[in-house]
Amino acid sequence: MKNRFNKYLLILLLIVSPVLFGQKDFNNVKTFGAVADGITLDTKAVQDAINTTAETGGTVFFPAGKYLIGSVFLKSNVTIYVSSGATILGSSLLSDFKEHQPKLKSYNDIFLKYSLFYAEDAENISIKGEGTIDGQGSAFKVTTKEKPQRYMNRPFVIRFVNCKNVRIENITLKNSPMWMQQYLGCQDLFINKIKVYNHSNKNNDMMDIDGCKNVVISDCIGDTDDDGITLKSTSPLITENVTINNCVLSSHCNAIKFGTESTGGFRNINISNIIVKPSDVDSVITGFPNGISGITLATVDGGIIDGVIISNIRIDGPQVPIYLRLGNRARKYSTDAPEVGVGSFKNVSISNIIADNVGAYGCSITGLPGYYVENISLENISIHFAGGVTKDNFNKEMNELADSYPESTMWGNLPAYGFYLRHVKDIKLSNITLNYRTKDERPAIICSDIENATFNQMRFDIDKSAESVFVFDNVRNTLISNSEVDTEVNCFLKVQDDFSRDLYLINNILPKVKNLFSASAKVNVQLNGNID
């Protein structure tokens, strides 16, 4: 009776599904010979179903079962629908994958050639459903540390290039040999309600949005060994007009990251309502069990960062909650590309952030000599650091490291436990609370080569052995106001140079601070309304 019922149910599904999916054609991959036993290679059956469906547009349907496939090429007006109980398994043999070299040149061309689902120059394509795509990534061993060889011969699960109107919805994605999914030069990209679990190999990013525009990412859950939601620019194309919201992210590396590659850069990005939490996986291939950073924004290969709004983020666990970096690695995206100059980094707003259980490194916002990070606003932020760093246990040199890979831990423990700011213009910090779990002997904030800064409504933990709450070096036109320190400390502001100017301390509440400031006679610090 049960078998008869299931048979009738399948027949009914096949009859009504074209209506439910609203497609002209609805093709079950089993009709084209898919065995779905997880052992027999079903690549040809799946590709035949895609090719037939593409003739008029429609849906390729995967009923319950396990479908072992190598590379398939998705075509315009085709939806892949993986039903509940269905799992698509990527082959563990590289020989089952085809090489795809995109017409669009990018930095990845020399080593990223394979993918499970590939599309190029396609329109109106989708991967949807309640089922799972499992890349079986642990089968692809990394045998060298050399670049680019260590990246070769590991497929993506999804790689779409220069496609328009792309939708990835509801699906569960697991265990990629490389990045889970890369979208290169795509337009009108919608990623909604997907789940990603990626802990099977190196470079296990959740997703990589690369040179795309008009992108909406929402209601997703990701737990990855490498970076989470990752914006890149590996070609001259700018990643722009991107909205990311309502996601839960766990990463052993960086939960939200821009700029591992930044040739074109990033413009008009809005990120909101994100939870960053520790991974459910303790064992680490790369990074830290609780993650490297919550928010990393960087441009180091030329390119721009312009117009980024980040708000309502809860960060729990990573070493560094906030890291902003303008560097000059100057890596060309191809051998015949023009030489790369220093990019630009401006117009960024970060607000309503609560960060707990983070490491002791500290946050940093840094440009380069003559190249400033500009117009930055940080507002309504509370960070609870680990602390525990002594005067003998932090980086006192702070070399520029202009050409280094942009990682928030690149300097080790910063000389400030809260924020280290260098080569920045027009920055505002307002309603910021910085404290720590364990006694820390570093200042809260260090500023070097800063112009037009405002620190308002700041609250700090500070140990009496710290040299000061603030330390300035070559700081111009800067105001500290309406801020509070409720612990014993020798000095509130220490100015280390003779060239700082136009410094103002106004309406600060410092009842246990012995000295409002320490500065040479050449530096004018103006005071008004401070309570000490």
Side-chain angles (χ1 to χ4, degrees):
M1 180 65 71
K2 183 177 180 180
N3 290 337
R4 183 180 298 175
F5 174 78
N6 288 340
K7 180 179 179 181
Y8 290 149
L9 183 62
L10 178 59
I11 293 172
L12 178 63
L13 179 63
L14 293 175
I15 293 172
V16 304
S17 289
V19 177
L20 292 176
F21 289 105
Q23 303 284 355
K24 299 175 184 177
D25 279 315
F26 176 85
N27 290 305
N28 188 321
V29 291
K30 288 191 172 181
T31 304
F32 292 81
V35 179
D37 61 0
I39 300 172
T40 306
L41 197 65
D42 287 327
T43 308
K44 184 179 184 305
V46 172
Q47 190 64 64
D48 287 348
I50 291 171
N51 295 345
T52 299
T53 304
E55 293 174 3
T56 55
T59 296
V60 175
F61 181 74
F62 290 77
K66 293 184 177 181
Y67 301 84
L68 181 68
I69 65 171
S71 294
V72 294
F73 193 97
L74 193 55
K75 299 185 177 181
S76 293
N77 304 311
V78 172
T79 292
I80 299 292
Y81 194 94
V82 188
S83 67
S84 177
T87 298
I88 297 175
L89 297 171
S91 173
S92 60
L93 300 177
L94 189 65
S95 57
D96 291 328
F97 290 83
K98 296 179 181 178
E99 290 192 18
H100 295 110
Q101 189 69 53
K103 293 189 288 291
L104 173 61
K105 284 188 175 182
S106 74
Y107 177 74
N108 298 321
D109 289 347
I110 59 175
F111 52 86
L112 300 178
K113 302 178 181 179
Y114 305 98
S115 55
L116 191 64
F117 285 92
Y118 184 82
E120 186 173 0
D121 299 329
E123 298 184 8
N124 306 320
I125 58 175
S126 304
I127 297 178
K128 301 180 179 181
E130 296 75 31
T132 299
I133 302 175
D134 186 338
Q136 301 197 102
S138 61
F140 295 82
K141 304 300 181 183
V142 179
T143 59
T144 178
K145 294 183 179 180
E146 297 297 320
K147 292 183 178 181
Q149 289 81 7
R150 71 188 189 193
Y151 303 114
M152 291 180 175
N153 304 331
R154 288 188 285 139
F156 298 106
V157 167
I158 298 171
R159 192 183 197 197
F160 292 166
V161 181
N162 197 36
C163 295
K164 295 180 180 180
N165 193 19
V166 177
R167 293 182 177 272
I168 311 296
E169 296 179 344
N170 298 315
I171 199 79
T172 295
L173 302 173
K174 298 171 60 176
N175 304 326
S176 178
M178 187 60 188
W179 302 339
M180 179 60 72
Q181 48 195 322
Q182 186 208 27
Y183 305 92
L184 174 62
C186 294
Q187 297 183 35
D188 304 328
L189 168 64
F190 301 87
I191 302 175
N192 179 245
K193 295 181 180 179
I194 70 169
K195 294 181 180 180
V196 176
Y197 179 90
N198 214 20
H199 288 274
S200 64
N201 214 318
K202 290 181 177 293
N203 311 104
N204 265 190
D205 290 3
M206 175 183 176
M207 64 176 71
D208 293 82
I209 311 300
D210 187 342
C212 297
K213 64 180 180 180
N214 307 334
V215 180
V216 178
I217 301 166
S218 63
D219 305 289
C220 298
I221 298 174
D223 192 330
T224 59
D225 185 76
D226 214 311
D227 298 331
I229 295 179
T230 313
L231 304 188
K232 293 177 179 285
S233 179
T234 64
S235 76
L237 296 177
I238 298 174
T239 295
E240 61 183 338
N241 308 334
V242 179
T243 296
I244 302 167
N245 60 78
N246 302 337
C247 296
V248 178
L249 305 177
S250 302
S251 167
H252 288 160
C253 291
N254 307 282
I256 300 167
K257 185 176 186 181
F258 295 19
T260 305
E261 290 89 14
S262 59
T263 301
F266 314 95
R267 181 169 57 204
N268 302 339
I269 315 292
N270 191 313
I271 301 172
S272 63
N273 302 332
I274 306 293
I275 301 293
V276 177
K277 70 174 189 65
S279 171
D280 291 336
V281 180
D282 292 331
S283 59
V284 171
I285 300 172
T286 307
F288 293 84
N290 287 349
I292 297 176
S293 80
I295 299 167
T296 283
L297 309 183
T299 180
V300 297
D301 300 318
I304 65 169
I305 288 181
D306 186 358
V308 178
I309 299 173
I310 299 176
S311 63
N312 302 333
I313 314 294
R314 177 68 167 97
I315 298 172
D316 180 10
Q319 298 297 315
V320 178
I322 299 171
Y323 169 66
L324 278 57
R325 174 65 169 164
L326 171 62
N328 189 29
R329 180 176 58 183
R331 189 166 69 187
K332 299 198 298 184
Y333 74 93
S334 68
T335 55
D336 57 351
E339 295 299 320
V340 177
V342 180
S344 65
F345 192 130
K346 60 185 179 180
N347 303 327
V348 172
S349 172
I350 300 175
S351 64
N352 301 325
I353 310 294
I354 297 175
D356 286 325
N357 304 313
V358 300
Y361 287 90
C363 302
S364 62
I365 302 175
T366 60
L368 295 171
Y371 299 93
Y372 291 88
V373 175
E374 300 183 64
N375 194 23
I376 307 299
S377 173
L378 278 67
E379 187 173 8
N380 301 332
I381 295 173
S382 175
I383 305 176
H384 193 61
F385 295 93
V389 177
T390 69
K391 291 180 179 179
D392 299 324
N393 194 27
F394 63 82
N395 188 340
K396 298 176 179 62
E397 297 296 327
M398 290 301 295
N399 295 324
E400 295 289 348
L401 302 182
D403 59 354
S404 294
Y405 181 91
E407 196 74 271
S408 60
T409 55
M410 61 195 293
W411 287 289
N413 289 330
L414 295 166
Y417 84 80
F419 280 89
Y420 180 83
L421 312 178
R422 183 165 65 181
H423 311 309
V424 182
K425 287 183 178 180
D426 302 312
I427 183 168
K428 176 182 178 181
L429 279 74
S430 179
N431 192 23
I432 310 291
T433 298
L434 306 176
N435 50 38
Y436 45 70
R437 295 191 298 275
T438 305
K439 170 184 172 180
D440 198 299
E441 297 182 351
R442 296 172 292 175
I445 293 178
I446 293 180
C447 296
S448 177
D449 186 19
I450 304 297
E451 185 172 341
N452 301 332
T454 300
F455 300 92
N456 184 52
Q457 293 182 291
M458 309 287 291
R459 290 169 295 275
F460 311 96
D461 276 351
I462 194 75
D463 188 76
K464 62 183 179 180
S465 63
E467 59 179 320
S468 185
V469 179
F470 285 85
V471 175
F472 284 2
D473 181 16
N474 191 15
V475 174
R476 292 90 66 194
N477 191 29
T478 291
L479 167 68
I480 305 172
S481 63
N482 303 303
S483 297
E484 302 177 25
V485 176
D486 193 33
T487 52
E488 225 177 81
V489 66
N490 183 57
C491 186
F492 182 60
L493 168 63
K494 180 178 180 180
V495 184
Q496 293 184 325
D497 69 305
D498 293 335
F499 306 102
S500 292
R501 65 182 187 271
D502 301 324
L503 308 180
Y504 304 86
L505 303 181
I506 297 177
N507 295 335
N508 299 291
I509 301 174
L510 312 168
K512 299 180 182 180
V513 174
K514 294 180 181 179
N515 301 288
L516 285 178
F517 70 93
S518 169
S520 78
K522 296 181 180 181
V523 176
N524 182 23
V525 180
Q526 300 188 37
L527 309 176
N528 186 20
N530 299 288
I531 298 175
D532 57 351

